[in-house]
Amino acid sequence: MKDFAGKTAFITGGASGIGLGIATTLLEAGAKVVIADIEQAHLSEAKTMLASHEGAAHFIRLDVRDRGAMRRAAEETAQIFGNVHILCNNAGTGLSVPIEEASYEDWDLIFSINLGGTINGIVTFLPGMKAHGEGGHLVNTSSMAGIIPCPSWAGLYSATKFAIRGLSESLRLSLAPFNIGVSTLCPGMVDTRIMTAERRLRPERRGSGADDWPEKMEFAMKPREVGARVLEGIRRQSAFIFTHGHFREEVAALFAEILDDFPPPSEPCAEEKAVEDARRRDIEVRKALIVAQVARV
Ligand code: NAI
């Protein structure tokens, strides 16, 4: 997808931070955008900020954990703007509880929003995106914490973001025949409300380890810049949308560590080789389709 004019986007967690940055950039590029968010205060603020885009921006209060509400939001979107072309599964939260101290309630809470919300978005919107046949794109917000594992208080968060990354990479290959791209968005630090998200979510409890982390991140990249990178990633059908180049060496070192743990090269038996070769060929065919789509559009 190179041209956003007239296309429709649905963005979860779209009323603040990165979601709002993506929404603003898409609106400026001529898209119609539905901004879905759980926080009424964020929605009201975003509506004021985007007043100049009246008619092209629509706001829906939505908890991404609520599958019925997600379906109703999809129906409302179809009524107002027609077919959805871009789905940004972006809503997310942190939870400052170390893995070794986490309760079932903690695991359920963060997985239901970060991963569950992404799954609900896919199950709700993807059938329609495939059916209309006009092509499309999914942007699933992971994190650099979905590439580089975080210890301690960010461990649960990291686990959700690894899951989103795995799901997205697999889905990218699956959707290649449908002309629907999938990008995994992996930002580094961005100046948003993320560090106070947990307190909004459950004011009664503050986890242990995150106290040394800055609550405000004015020094960090601005959401609009992330929005611009997302549009570029959609245009190029990039597998990953990275925002911070300074992670490159760290990622290279991590992958070198992974390779270090492999046993010496070995030759699989003929049957195993046949299965693995078929899998590799399937992946190559799907990647070639994506390359052809990028060249054609
Ligand atoms: P933010 O807190 O400014 O925005 C997140 C929005 O999601 C908020 O408006 C919030 O109300 C909404 N939200 C939370 N739970 C929701 C739910 N259950 N249903 C619907 N909406 C919900 O934070 P930010 O940073 O913009 O977060 C967006 C995404 O970016 C998250 O997935 C986060 O994990 C990810 N991210 C953020 C980074 C950062 O440094 N800010 C870095 C890497 C990833």
Side-chain angles (χ1 to χ4, degrees):
M1 189 186 302
K2 296 251 161 53
D3 187 10
F4 298 99
K7 300 284 192 318
T8 296
F10 186 94
I11 306 176
T12 68
S16 173
I18 292 171
L20 185 55
I22 299 171
T24 311
T25 322
L26 278 168
L27 283 163
E28 285 168 355
K32 297 168 282 183
V33 179
V34 174
I35 291 172
D37 204 290
I38 195 172
E39 292 277 348
Q40 188 53 54
H42 296 182
L43 285 166
S44 304
E45 206 178 289
K47 200 169 184 175
T48 307
M49 275 179 63
L50 299 174
S52 61
H53 296 284
E54 206 189 336
H58 183 71
F59 301 82
I60 298 179
R61 189 155 188 204
L62 170 73
D63 182 344
V64 291
R65 292 169 288 185
D66 183 338
R67 292 172 176 166
M70 183 81 89
R71 183 176 38 74
R72 289 190 292 280
E75 287 162 2
E76 191 174 326
T77 303
Q79 267 170 15
I80 292 172
F81 289 148
N83 291 335
V84 171
H85 306 92
I86 300 165
L87 171 65
C88 300
N89 291 304
N90 168 75
T93 187
L95 202 64
S96 55
V97 183
I99 288 188
E100 62 276 15
E101 292 171 22
S103 64
Y104 284 130
E105 184 208 355
D106 296 327
W107 282 106
D108 288 347
L109 181 63
I110 193 162
F111 266 81
S112 65
I113 298 173
N114 293 8
L115 180 62
T118 303
I119 292 168
N120 294 343
I122 290 168
V123 173
T124 304
F125 284 91
L126 192 52
M129 291 173 74
K130 280 165 71 178
H132 67 56
E134 295 166 10
H137 203 97
L138 271 71
V139 179
N140 294 329
T141 305
S142 176
S143 169
M144 280 316 299
I147 307 282
I148 300 166
C150 294
S152 183
W153 60 269
L156 274 76
Y157 179 77
S158 205
T160 65
K161 296 300 183 179
F162 264 74
I164 291 168
R165 167 194 163 197
L167 172 161
S168 306
E169 284 189 72
S170 175
L171 189 62
R172 180 171 192 261
L173 297 171
S174 300
L175 291 180
F178 300 95
N179 193 22
I180 298 176
V182 181
S183 297
T184 311
L185 172 60
C186 296
M189 267 194 220
V190 184
D191 182 13
T192 71
R193 294 176 162 120
I194 187 85
M195 294 313 291
T196 51
E198 179 178 357
R199 214 168 313 154
R200 290 197 305 274
L201 200 63
R202 50 176 195 190
E204 78 284 359
R205 183 169 166 203
R206 178 122 165 86
S208 49
D211 302 333
D212 56 345
W213 199 261
E215 239 176 43
K216 294 206 164 148
M217 299 198 286
E218 290 102 337
F219 56 85
M221 180 179 279
K222 302 301 164 207
R224 287 288 295 274
E225 195 173 336
V226 179
R229 283 170 199 250
V230 166
L231 261 64
E232 191 53 27
I234 296 175
R235 282 196 184 100
R236 291 171 180 230
Q237 233 167 296
S238 305
F240 288 94
I241 302 172
F242 292 113
T243 56
H244 292 63
H246 63 77
F247 284 103
R248 205 172 192 286
E249 277 181 28
E250 206 177 334
V251 172
L254 176 67
F255 278 83
E257 266 180 51
I258 292 173
L259 293 177
D260 279 349
D261 283 337
F262 267 84
S266 57
E267 197 51 40
C269 70
E271 291 89 338
E272 190 179 342
K273 187 170 181 328
V275 174
E276 299 294 9
D277 281 350
R279 178 183 58 77
R280 288 183 189 114
R281 272 197 306 278
D282 180 38
I283 291 175
E284 286 315 313
V285 167
R286 289 167 189 275
K287 284 187 175 171
L289 270 176
I290 295 171
V291 170
Q293 283 158 13
V294 176
R296 197 172 55 234
V297 182

